[in-house]
Amino acid sequence: QVTLVESGGGLVQAGESLTLSCAVSGRTLSGSGITVAWFRQAPGKEREFVAADFRSTGNTHYSNSVEGRFTVSRVNAQNTVILQMNSLRPEDTAVYYCGASARLILSSLRNSGQYAYWGQGTQVTVSS
């Protein structure tokens, strides 16, 4: 059983930065082949892919809307996946979730239905 706990959300102004953390328990990420991804969901919208560390290898992927502004990384000593968000925009406002999948294939990376484990989410609000 894998448990995920997100933290680090908050209210910021446009152009500022936030760092989100996804603490993973139940499995050690390094060498596990587990993919941990960040998704977000704004009110009235579907959950959308943001970024991922594919199979915990450092092979990172991003949505077009955050490429160049967000960075996903893994801290092995803390068994945590970090989402560094810079140059935030009002359209980044959403609840951010981390999800984990044990045997994901690359073509399914952006499909939230392929992730078996989810955290509770953390709210990010960016004011203009």
Side-chain angles (χ1 to χ4, degrees):
Q1 181 71 18
V2 175
T3 302
L4 309 173
V5 178
E6 302 98 335
S7 61
L11 171 63
V12 297
Q13 293 188 334
E16 295 185 340
S17 300
L18 271 177
T19 303
L20 304 184
S21 297
C22 175
V24 181
S25 59
R27 290 284 299 274
T28 299
L29 289 176
S30 182
S32 67
I34 292 175
T35 295
V36 176
W38 288 94
F39 287 76
R40 65 188 182 187
Q41 189 165 18
K45 295 189 176 181
E46 294 187 352
R47 191 169 295 190
E48 65 170 353
F49 173 82
V50 175
D53 178 10
F54 180 62
R55 293 190 178 178
S56 295
T57 60
N59 181 3
T60 56
H61 298 261
Y62 301 91
S63 68
N64 289 340
S65 62
V66 307
E67 181 87 47
R69 299 188 297 124
F70 291 11
T71 302
V72 63
S73 60
R74 177 168 31 88
V75 182
N76 289 332
Q78 299 174 4
N79 215 44
T80 295
V81 177
I82 304 295
L83 184 67
Q84 176 64 43
M85 305 186 296
N86 298 328
S87 301
L88 282 161
R89 304 167 180 169
E91 55 264 39
D92 294 318
T93 296
V95 178
Y96 283 69
Y97 298 90
C98 61
S101 180
R103 289 182 287 274
L104 200 67
I105 59 174
L106 190 56
S107 60
S108 297
L109 188 70
R110 290 167 168 77
N111 183 351
S112 62
Q114 296 298 313
Y115 291 79
Y117 306 99
W118 291 95
Q120 81 288 353
T122 186
Q123 176 70 46
V124 172
T125 303
V126 184
S127 63
S128 57

